[in-house]
């Protein structure tokens, strides 16, 4: 259904548009002929139908017919018509304009209905993917933590201190994974709703990288750091940037073989700091790189991984919320490189 604003604009077009044609068409009466005038007015009627629907179009059709009669059929400046052919032409114009308006209105409504149906179908697919993710990827860490707690509470099971420590470590890891999944889901919902606060300020990249690695509890030397000592500050939200880098590094670690660890490098190009998160996994085909940034997609590097497929989608959304960019490219020798581009802080 068309909004009240569109209908209002449609009526304005239907009333003002035909009147606006009088001034340019009157001087052409001796050259253009009634057929040309009718064509010009028919365009305005169709335009009012596209904008405001059938109501404004009918008003435009009747109003245009009266103007054609008054200014372009003899005797001029009266509503009388001497020539029967002109009577037929004006009446035919009003009828045809009304019919065309109806067809245009029906087509526009069908297009709106199709767009609404497509949007609903996309939302249904998203809900289905989310339910599938919740059904497996969120329940798995919950089940692991529940099993640990149940085992430790079982009085019939004798556990050594080493066993208890191992079980607690398993539960802690499962709950950390669950927390990351929930955080990603919540942040994605805030991004889509436009409700995620972004606080851009001068940010030291080295500090954010260190915080991201600490957040992931990265073991020493499991990620190679290649950050220049003179790297300038960037304009970013430190908290959001940490989430971006944590997601990218976690993804890179998941697919890099033990003998070729993931790497984080950076350089400055044309006023942008480029942060490269490099893995040496199977990579992603160029044709699929657009899809990998969609929620709940796991392609190429992520085809065998667990997780709801939100990491890269969230990383791109958070990066763009900070006025940055996230692009994917091939790693030399095989793998995938994710590059975060952030503006350099302007010199004061």
């Amino acid at each position: 259904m068309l909004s009240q604003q569109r209908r209002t604009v449609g009526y304005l077009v239907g009333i003002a548009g035909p009147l606006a044609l009088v001034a340019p068409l009157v001087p052409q009466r001796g050259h253009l002929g009634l057929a040309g005038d009718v064509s010009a007015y028919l365009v305005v009627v169709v335009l009012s139908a596209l904008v405001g629907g059938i109501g404004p179009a009918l008003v435009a059709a009747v109003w245009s017919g009266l103007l054609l009669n008054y200014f372009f059929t003899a005797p001029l400046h009266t509503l009388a018509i001497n020539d029967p052919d002109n009577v037929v032409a004006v009446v035919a114009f009003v009828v045809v304009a009304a019919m065309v308006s109806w067809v245009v209105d029906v087509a526009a409504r069908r297009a709106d209905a199709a767009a609404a149906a497509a949007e609903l179908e996309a939302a249904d697919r998203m809900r289905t993917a989310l339910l599938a993710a919740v059904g497996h990827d969120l329940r798995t860490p919950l089940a692991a933590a529940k099993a640990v707690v149940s085992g430790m509470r079982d009085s019939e099971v004798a556990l050594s201190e080493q066993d208890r420590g191992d079980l607690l470590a398993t539960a802690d890891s499962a709950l950390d994974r669950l927390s990351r999944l929930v955080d990603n889901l919540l942040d994605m919902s805030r991004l889509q709703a436009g409700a995620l606060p972004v606080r851009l300020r001068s940010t030291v990249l080295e500090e954010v990288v260190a915080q991201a690695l600490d957040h992931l509890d990265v073991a020493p030397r499991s990620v190679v750091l290649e950050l220049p000592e003179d790297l300038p500050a960037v304009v970013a939200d430190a908290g959001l940037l940490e989430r971006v880098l944590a997601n990218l590094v976690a993804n890179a670690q998941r697919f890099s073989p033990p003998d070729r660890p993931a790497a984080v490098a950076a350089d400055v190009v044309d006023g942008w700091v480029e942060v490269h998160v490099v893995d040496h996994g199977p990579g992603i085909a160029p044709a699929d790189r657009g899809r990998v940034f969609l929620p709940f997609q796991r392609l190429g590097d992520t085809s065998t991984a667990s997780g709801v497929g939100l990491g890269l989608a969230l990383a791109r959304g958070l990066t763009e919320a900070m006025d940055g960019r996230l692009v994917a490219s091939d790693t030399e020798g095989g793998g995938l490189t994710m590059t975060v581009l952030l503006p350099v802080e302007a010199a004061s």
Side-chain angles (χ1 to χ4, degrees):
M1 184 174 180
L2 296 177
S3 66
Q4 182 61 45
Q5 182 179 9
R6 280 191 61 178
R7 287 197 296 271
T8 300
V9 174
Y11 280 112
L12 290 175
V13 172
I15 295 172
L19 193 59
L21 287 179
V22 172
L25 290 180
V26 164
Q28 305 299 321
R29 279 187 300 212
H31 308 284
L32 193 59
L34 186 59
D37 299 329
V38 165
S39 300
Y41 276 97
L42 187 59
V43 171
V44 176
V45 174
V46 172
L47 180 60
S48 63
L50 289 171
V51 175
I54 188 66
L58 291 176
V59 171
V62 174
W63 178 227
S64 296
L66 292 173
L67 291 175
L68 283 168
N69 182 359
Y70 191 82
F71 287 102
F72 301 101
T73 61
L76 299 176
H77 306 143
T78 72
L79 295 180
I81 302 178
N82 291 338
D83 190 342
D85 289 340
N86 288 343
V87 174
V88 173
V90 172
V91 172
F93 164 78
V94 174
V95 173
V96 170
M99 294 176 63
V100 170
S101 301
W102 178 76
V103 171
V104 170
D105 181 68
V106 169
R109 291 180 184 276
R110 287 179 178 174
D112 290 342
E119 185 176 348
L120 181 60
E121 182 181 355
D124 287 340
R125 287 198 301 266
M126 183 71 75
R127 280 193 291 269
T128 300
L130 177 58
L131 289 174
V134 171
H136 176 267
D137 295 299
L138 295 183
R139 291 183 63 182
T140 298
L142 274 176
K146 179 67 168 62
V148 168
V149 173
S150 297
M152 295 185 68
R153 292 187 63 191
D154 191 342
S155 58
E156 297 181 0
V157 178
L159 297 174
S160 66
E161 288 301 318
Q162 179 64 38
D163 292 334
R164 288 180 178 275
D166 291 342
L167 287 173
L168 288 173
T170 299
D172 185 57
S173 175
L175 292 175
D176 282 344
R177 179 183 167 196
L178 178 63
S179 177
R180 287 194 294 270
L181 290 172
V182 171
D183 286 344
N184 283 350
L185 286 169
L186 291 176
D187 281 348
M188 181 58 68
S189 67
R190 293 190 187 104
L191 269 176
Q192 292 178 338
L196 188 69
V198 180
R199 301 176 180 85
L200 300 179
R201 55 175 61 93
S202 176
T203 302
V204 178
L205 183 62
E206 294 91 332
E207 296 177 358
V208 178
V209 171
Q211 291 167 357
L213 298 182
D214 288 342
H215 177 77
L216 293 173
D217 195 21
V218 171
R221 291 181 298 279
S222 63
V223 174
V224 177
L225 296 180
E226 300 175 354
L227 303 179
E229 294 183 358
D230 58 348
L231 200 63
V234 297
V235 179
D237 182 309
L240 298 186
L241 181 56
E242 179 185 337
R243 295 292 308 282
V244 170
L245 295 177
N247 273 309
L248 296 179
V249 171
N251 196 65
Q253 281 189 298
R254 189 177 297 121
F255 303 105
S256 286
D259 60 331
R260 302 190 70 186
V264 179
D267 52 25
V268 182
V269 179
D270 296 331
W272 295 80
V273 170
E274 298 184 354
V275 186
H276 311 285
V277 180
V278 182
D279 74 46
H280 300 280
I284 297 175
D288 291 331
R289 286 180 188 162
R291 292 174 54 204
V292 80
F293 290 109
L294 299 175
F296 310 112
Q297 295 291 319
R298 288 178 288 186
L299 310 172
D301 263 8
T302 53
S303 59
T304 59
S306 61
V308 297
L310 275 180
L312 295 180
L314 180 61
R316 169 168 278 187
L318 294 178
T319 302
E320 292 178 348
M322 295 184 290
D323 300 326
R325 289 183 290 155
L326 175 60
V327 296
S329 60
D330 291 328
T331 298
E332 186 176 352
L336 184 71
T337 295
M338 289 290 177
T339 300
V340 180
L341 293 90
L342 296 166
V344 174
E345 181 188 22
S348 56

